[in-house]
Structures are given as structure tokens and as C-alpha cells.
Amino acid sequence: MQPVARIELLQGDITKLPVDAIVNAANTSLLGGGGVDGAIHRAAGPELLAECRTLGGCPTGGARLTKGYRLPARYVIHTAGPVYRDPQKSAVLLKSCYRNCLDLAVKHGIRTIAFPAISCGVYGYPVEDACRIAVDTTLDFLARNEHLKKVVFVLFSRRNHDVYRSYLQALGWPH
Ligand code: APR
């Protein structure tokens, strides 16, 4: 199926999704935080933090896999997005987040994965720019990886959802 047709868009809470893996917009310590990180840890329960403690952190742009515990998702893929400062450097790091999460997913036979808007909250990344990086990186990856069946972009706010929707529709997104 065409890459763009394997993308879904949702407005809602990523912790509710029964996909193979949800992505956590964490920080480099992987020891929890606010935003989507806090929501995922609350929903997954204390075993998630216990497993995260064994990972020794995660560099910005990197990705680490854990179980999902009490989440409906089987796995959590944790990534640390860039704090938005220098646009060029941040763009390269944000692209690495998406690509490394997708690479790790395929390595573990994960076929459905959901992303929040990494770095678009506390880390201050302008959602219009982040959306293009997220979608372009994902489409390029999907074109080279038949194995990955579905990528869901889950936006918490209506505004962010509409930013993704208009960009996807400009690319011929069929929904
Ligand atoms: N489901 C989906 N998206 C969510 C949820 C949720 N339950 N909660 C928040 N979001 C959205 C936010 O609205 C924002 O658009 O996720 C996006 C990412 O925002 P943050 O969670 O603030 O993440 P980020 O900007 O990457 O900052 C990471 O914040 O929580 C700390 O420990 C985390 O230090 C790290 C930093």
C-alpha cells in the first residue's frame, strides 16, 4: 500500500491506543517527566520506570524500547527530542528521533506505531516545522519498509491535529 495511505491521524490521548508501540517524547534521563512522558508513565504503571532505570538514559535523537506494561500498547519506544534552539541543528536531531524510532520498531517486528508531536510541547518546537519533519521522515521510511503497516500521528490539541491534517492532505493523504 502507498506510504501515505499507511499514515493515520488522530486527535486524542496516545496512552489509549492499542497499537504495537507508542512513542514517548521523553528526556535523556528516561526517568519520567510531564506532558506525554508523564501520561505514559502514569498509564503504564511503576514497572515502566523500573525498566527505564536499567537503560542508562537515551541521547537526544536516540530511541530505546521497553515493554508497555499496563498500557494497551505492547511496547513503548522512548526518544529524547531536541529542545528547540538552533533551527538547523534541531531539525537534524528531530529527524533522527523519527528515523531511530522507526528503525527500532522494524528491528522488533513492530507493525503499528503511534507518535506524539515530539518536542512540540515543553521543548518548544514550532509544530508546523516539526510536522513536516515527522511526516517527510516517516513517508521516506515507509517507502523503504513494506513491513511497517501503520503509523499513527496522535495530536493532543485540535490545532496541532489540523496542522498535520493540512500538511498530509497537501501530500495526497487519502482520508
Ligand atoms: N497524548 C498525546 N499527545 C500528548 C499527550 C497525550 N497524552 N500529552 C501531551 N501531548 C502532546 C503535547 O500537547 C505536545 O504537543 O505531546 C506533545 C509533546 O509535548 P511534551 O509532552 O511537552 O514533550 P516535549 O515537547 O518533547 O518535551 C519533552 O517534557 O514531559 C517532559 O520528560 C519530558 O523533559 C521531557 C520534555
Side-chain angles (χ1 to χ4, degrees):
M1 196 197 290
Q2 277 302 326
V4 75
R6 287 147 61 197
I7 286 186
E8 281 190 20
L9 192 57
L10 264 184
Q11 183 187 347
D13 176 355
I14 200 167
T15 66
K16 307 276 186 242
L17 291 193
V19 287
D20 292 344
I22 60 171
V23 172
N24 181 18
N27 56 57
T28 53
S29 76
L30 294 186
L31 299 180
V36 70
D37 195 4
I40 288 174
H41 276 274
R42 271 192 304 280
E47 299 106 313
L48 179 60
L49 182 57
E51 183 175 0
C52 284
R53 284 193 201 291
T54 69
L55 300 178
C58 174
T60 300
R64 297 287 184 274
L65 182 94
T66 67
K67 294 192 204 71
Y69 300 104
R70 297 177 198 167
L71 286 163
R74 194 151 156 239
Y75 297 105
V76 181
I77 294 180
H78 306 259
T79 187
V83 177
Y84 190 70
R85 283 202 195 91
D86 169 275
Q88 297 316 96
K89 287 201 191 91
S90 299
V92 170
L93 287 166
L94 188 63
K95 186 180 174 68
S96 309
C97 289
Y98 285 94
R99 208 192 29 249
N100 286 326
C101 288
L102 291 165
D103 276 336
L104 195 54
V106 167
K107 213 178 284 170
H108 287 82
I110 288 165
R111 299 174 65 83
T112 60
I113 181 169
F115 284 97
I118 300 167
S119 285
C120 292
V122 164
Y123 282 0
Y125 214 112
V127 65
E128 292 76 7
D129 301 335
C131 161
R132 274 197 296 280
I133 291 169
V135 170
D136 293 351
T137 308
T138 300
L139 286 173
D140 174 58
F141 187 91
L142 287 172
R144 291 181 282 111
N145 287 273
E146 287 302 312
H147 177 91
L148 203 54
K149 218 170 59 188
K150 185 167 77 171
V151 177
V152 189
F153 291 113
V154 187
L155 289 313
F156 210 42
S157 71
R158 175 96 237 152
R159 181 190 175 282
N160 288 359
H161 170 273
D162 292 351
V163 167
Y164 271 70
R165 190 183 54 195
S166 42
Y167 185 60
L168 282 165
Q169 285 174 340
L171 299 175
W173 185 58
H175 303 281

